[in-house]
Amino acid sequence: MKEREYTGIKDWKLQPINEGSIVITQQGTKFVVVWKQKHNQWCIIQSNQGDHKELQGDWFKLERYMQSNLEVIGSIYDNPELI
């Protein structure tokens, strides 16, 4: 398992959200947690390619999502098939 940086945010089950975590919203949308250097903050990005090396699509500031709306279901390092 790859060591991942903790974002300082937990999901609704109080699981830590780390860099590379795959999270799902209550509406069923999956995102990957990434650090956006350009914006100097944690973001979630939807994968349109199904390959974490080619993450593309809409991204949002992680802090704007309430933890009650996110659930960690895996990581791109341990469970890439989940994206």
Side-chain angles (χ1 to χ4, degrees):
M1 177 188 302
K2 179 178 173 164
E3 185 70 27
R4 299 171 303 243
E5 188 171 348
Y6 176 50
T7 64
I9 299 173
K10 295 183 178 182
D11 71 2
W12 73 272
K13 291 184 175 180
L14 301 179
Q15 295 294 319
I17 299 176
N18 299 314
E19 179 267 329
S21 289
I22 301 169
V23 295
I24 190 167
T25 65
Q26 290 176 339
Q27 295 78 23
T29 306
K30 293 179 185 176
F31 292 93
V32 176
V33 177
V34 297
W35 177 257
K36 290 289 249 184
Q37 187 65 36
K38 178 180 176 181
H39 301 287
N40 200 33
Q41 63 188 310
W42 291 104
C43 296
I44 54 176
I45 186 166
Q46 189 171 8
S47 174
N48 293 336
Q49 299 294 323
D51 180 351
H52 71 272
K53 295 178 183 173
E54 298 294 332
L55 291 172
Q56 298 179 17
D58 297 328
W59 63 272
F60 306 92
K61 297 176 186 177
L62 180 59
E63 65 185 28
R64 292 189 67 193
Y65 266 78
M66 296 179 59
Q67 71 184 44
S68 61
N69 189 41
L70 295 176
E71 179 182 353
V72 175
I73 60 169
S75 81
I76 58 173
Y77 305 109
D78 303 327
N79 317 97
E81 72 280 0
L82 293 177
I83 341 185

